[in-house]
Amino acid sequence: MIRRLLLAMLCFAALLGAGLASGAAERTPIVLNRARTLVSSEENGKRKQELQGDVEITKDSLIVTCQNAEYYPDSGIVIFRDDVVFKTPHRILMADQVIYNENTEEVHASNRVRVYQGDTLSATSRTADYFDRLKAGYLYDEVNMREDNRRVLLTGQKGFGDNDRKYGWVTGNPVATERDSTMKIISQVHGDTIEYFGDTKLMRVRGKVRVDRDSLVATGTALDYFTQEHYAVLVGGPEAMRSNDHVKGDTIRLYFEKEKEALDSVEVSGHALVTSPADSTSPEPLNRMEGKHMTLYLDKGAISKVLVQGTAVATYYVREKAEKRGMNITSGDRLWVFFEDRKIARIRVEGGTEGQYTPQRLVSKPAS
């Protein structure tokens, strides 16, 4: 999922950052191709041309159409209104009004701004500003960036893209949403800011990070995803929860299969702890696995085995046919915990083996 979001973010950065004109070294003047009426006037020494009805203007490879326009030759300002379309060989910008500076090639678009690139990539907002010869720009208010091929939607209140730097971000309660082929939401990523660095193929989410996928919820304050290495790092008090299972530590790393979106393994470093209720009908007592480092291996979305290292301890409650038998505490340098049907099937201890069994009649009630 995160890899899809990264590929989508790369497309979004290009969409925001690419210019609407060719950017040739020697700029050609604006050319009026057609208009139903043209009225020229002068006020306070400033020339003005008013164009109405089926207006078409070109400049280099840029083609602009609208219903009404005002051109101020002295300042190079053109105000396009009503059904405005900016078209280049690579993308289209549409809005109710666009203010264009032919000297600086800055664009301010407002009211129902839509940007399209190809058949699958689009962005919408209430207003937009493009600058730096239209190679970078901002989108403001109710920002939506969509990549239909991967069914990814990125929303927020403000977006930015710089094509030369291959860099972009979205802020203002940004959310990245992925859907399946039936358009059902399968994952969402939240944060205060979502950034993309094209040179290093990195997506960075900062602030109140939350990842929702199926029944899994992961939280922290910073998420980095490295697309070329196919792994993500979650820090800042990271926690991952699925049903009643709870994983936490100083750092959580998520590793993905290179050719698929499936999660392959999870590494937890520093005060690694995994807890789950011993009984499905009660939140207490909790089975626990803890150590300095922990690796969880997944098979078809379920934990198949866990390696706990460094002062490794496993505390689990013995159940036989739903009957309470007692509590086991097993410790060592390394613990291998194997699962079957989402339950602990066996434990292998390596180095410094210690074990303690407490019969059920001596098991104390957990502290409230």
Side-chain angles (χ1 to χ4, degrees):
M1 175 276 296
I2 299 181
R3 182 173 60 187
R4 287 185 178 181
L5 297 180
L6 263 292
L7 293 172
M9 284 293 294
L10 176 59
C11 294
F12 294 148
L15 175 66
L16 280 174
L20 294 175
S22 66
E26 294 184 3
R27 299 172 184 168
T28 57
I30 286 178
V31 177
L32 173 61
N33 293 334
R34 66 173 185 263
R36 291 179 182 173
T37 63
L38 169 61
V39 178
S40 299
S41 61
E42 185 173 325
E43 294 181 3
N44 299 322
K46 296 181 179 179
R47 294 179 296 163
K48 175 183 177 181
Q49 294 180 352
E50 297 181 66
L51 302 90
Q52 294 186 353
D54 194 23
V55 178
E56 181 181 278
I57 290 176
T58 59
K59 184 177 188 295
D60 298 320
S61 62
L62 171 65
I63 302 173
V64 184
T65 60
C66 66
Q67 293 303 313
N68 300 283
E70 296 177 6
Y71 178 40
Y72 298 87
D74 298 328
S75 63
I77 299 297
V78 189
I79 303 176
F80 300 97
R81 296 189 180 93
D82 303 326
D83 300 328
V84 183
V85 178
F86 271 51
K87 186 176 182 180
T88 72
H90 303 293
R91 64 197 49 81
I92 297 173
L93 180 146
M94 305 172 69
D96 290 345
Q97 177 175 290
V98 174
I99 301 175
Y100 175 66
N101 187 321
E102 69 167 323
N103 298 320
T104 64
E105 293 188 304
E106 295 175 337
V107 168
H108 175 75
S110 59
N111 299 331
R112 300 191 306 123
V113 178
R114 293 94 72 201
V115 182
Y116 302 95
Q117 182 170 309
D119 296 329
T120 62
L121 187 62
S122 62
T124 63
S125 66
R126 289 192 175 183
T127 61
D129 287 323
Y130 290 86
F131 56 94
D132 190 18
R133 298 185 66 182
L134 302 175
K135 294 180 180 179
Y138 291 95
L139 294 174
Y140 302 96
D141 301 324
E142 299 181 10
V143 176
N144 290 267
M145 301 180 184
R146 185 184 304 275
E147 211 288 310
D148 290 334
N149 277 351
R150 298 180 180 88
R151 298 182 293 276
V152 173
L153 174 66
L154 184 63
T155 62
Q157 292 303 308
K158 185 176 181 179
F160 171 79
D162 188 315
N163 192 48
D164 288 346
R165 295 167 54 200
K166 297 181 181 179
Y167 170 76
W169 54 254
V170 178
T171 189
N173 298 317
V175 180
T177 301
E178 180 189 8
R179 298 177 183 268
D180 63 16
S181 58
T182 67
M183 300 309 295
K184 177 184 176 182
I185 295 177
I186 58 176
S187 63
Q188 287 188 316
V189 179
H190 306 252
D192 293 340
T193 301
I194 299 177
E195 296 179 274
Y196 180 71
F197 301 83
D199 290 342
T200 56
K201 303 297 186 294
L202 166 68
M203 184 174 75
R204 174 167 292 162
V205 186
R206 291 293 183 261
K208 296 180 180 178
V209 179
R210 177 186 172 104
V211 180
D212 295 284
R213 185 174 181 89
D214 299 324
S215 59
L216 175 69
V217 178
T219 60
T221 62
L223 173 72
D224 281 358
Y225 178 67
F226 302 86
T227 56
Q228 291 183 325
E229 289 79 15
H230 302 283
Y231 81 94
V233 182
L234 183 63
V235 297
E239 299 185 26
M241 293 149 281
R242 184 168 189 172
S243 186
N244 293 319
D245 299 329
H246 192 176
V247 180
K248 65 180 181 178
D250 295 338
T251 302
I252 295 179
R253 290 178 171 84
L254 309 173
Y255 291 87
F256 302 89
E257 297 180 27
K258 291 184 178 181
E259 301 302 325
K260 300 179 181 179
E261 295 298 329
L263 185 63
D264 182 64
S265 62
V266 178
E267 287 188 3
V268 188
S269 302
H271 305 93
L273 173 65
V274 176
T275 63
S276 61
D279 303 295
S280 59
T281 59
S282 175
E284 296 286 352
L286 292 174
N287 292 330
R288 297 168 59 95
M289 291 181 289
E290 52 192 308
K292 294 181 179 179
H293 187 274
M294 191 180 304
T295 305
L296 296 85
Y297 298 91
L298 289 87
D299 182 15
K300 297 180 181 179
I303 297 175
S304 60
K305 59 185 176 181
V306 178
L307 172 60
V308 189
Q309 303 178 79
T311 319
V313 180
T315 303
Y316 60 100
Y317 293 81
V318 182
R319 301 291 186 262
E320 292 183 6
K321 297 181 180 180
E323 184 178 348
K324 299 178 180 180
R325 292 294 187 181
M327 178 183 71
N328 267 335
I329 300 177
T330 304
S331 62
D333 296 334
R334 290 160 55 96
L335 297 180
W336 280 98
V337 184
F338 300 89
F339 291 79
E340 292 181 4
D341 297 326
R342 301 181 182 274
K343 296 180 181 180
I344 296 175
R346 60 190 175 91
I347 297 178
R348 189 175 76 209
V349 187
E350 300 175 357
T353 303
E354 292 185 10
Q356 177 183 338
Y357 172 73
T358 303
Q360 182 60 35
R361 61 186 177 83
L362 298 179
V363 175
S364 61
K365 294 183 178 180
S368 57

